[in-house]
Amino acid sequence: MKPIHLFFSLCFLFLIYTLSIYLTPLTVAKMSTIDSEKAVSGRIVWQKYNCQSCHQLYGLGGYLGPDLTNVVSNPKKGERMIKQILKYGVKQMPCYNMPNDDYKCLIEFLKSVDASGLADPRKYTISKTGMINQK
Ligand code: HEC
């Protein structure tokens, strides 16, 4: 094959490849089930009841209770359990007689937090000497 033929074949392949990239529709994660307005108010509810003093989001916050970043999508927990815990309290956690609106907004807020990532995406092991080895 002559160099000029090779050049034009590569140009042609480049154009085909570029076209295929631009024509492929973007796949964006759907957040349609989250009511973003309620999620914004839910953040205020989260602050009003000071959940952060005992709970973490993305690993940051108080350490009396567990991290709640992914509590909504956890198959063993989820919305129903959260409702019961808020209503009746558990161990050191007080019960909250919050209005239904506050509850709904709080759930939307927790859903939006959950959709935004993982509490701790790192995978690590702790060695005998107590050092943390990140994988
Ligand atoms: C005084 C500290 C404290 C505050 C404030 C608090 N919690 Fe808790 N919460 C806890 C503790 C401790 C637990 C764990 C109880 C257990 O061991 O079962 C817990 C558990 C939970 C759980 C279950 C989590 C799991 O993975 O089992 C949810 C959901 C939860 N809290 C939500 C909230 C929300 C929402 C707020 C704010 C309205 C809040 N908590 C405020 C202390 C607190």
Side-chain angles (χ1 to χ4, degrees):
M1 191 188 271
K2 282 183 184 172
I4 190 80
H5 289 150
L6 182 67
F7 175 75
F8 281 116
S9 338
L10 288 175
C11 284
F12 180 70
L13 286 176
F14 170 77
L15 284 176
I16 298 279
Y17 184 61
T18 307
L19 244 164
S20 76
I21 286 176
Y22 280 98
L23 293 181
T24 311
L26 287 176
T27 48
V28 179
K30 272 196 179 169
M31 306 247 303
S32 58
T33 53
I34 299 171
D35 183 332
S36 53
E37 246 174 62
K38 278 194 180 151
V40 170
S41 329
R43 184 179 193 84
I44 308 292
V45 175
W46 173 262
Q47 286 169 354
K48 187 168 85 180
Y49 293 97
N50 211 5
C51 312
Q52 192 82 20
S53 64
C54 296
H55 291 282
Q56 310 99 60
L57 291 180
Y58 313 110
L60 295 173
Y63 287 93
L64 191 61
D67 188 299
L68 299 183
T69 315
N70 306 116
V71 73
V72 176
S73 63
N74 185 331
K76 288 187 186 153
K77 301 185 173 164
E79 278 179 53
R80 288 182 75 189
M81 186 215 66
I82 299 173
K83 190 169 196 166
Q84 295 306 312
I85 286 188
L86 286 174
K87 198 170 174 191
Y88 299 107
V90 54
K91 293 186 184 167
Q92 299 98 325
M93 179 170 156
C95 65
Y96 290 90
N97 275 322
M98 57 174 74
N100 209 23
D101 271 358
D102 277 7
Y103 167 75
K104 280 185 183 155
C105 294
L106 188 61
I107 290 292
E108 291 305 308
F109 169 64
L110 287 175
K111 274 189 194 169
S112 73
V113 170
D114 187 28
S116 70
L118 295 174
D120 188 356
R122 290 169 301 172
K123 293 201 186 323
Y124 55 81
T125 52
I126 301 174
S127 70
K128 282 180 192 160
T129 56
M131 300 299 284
I132 288 175
N133 302 314
Q134 204 166 316
K135 278 183 189 169

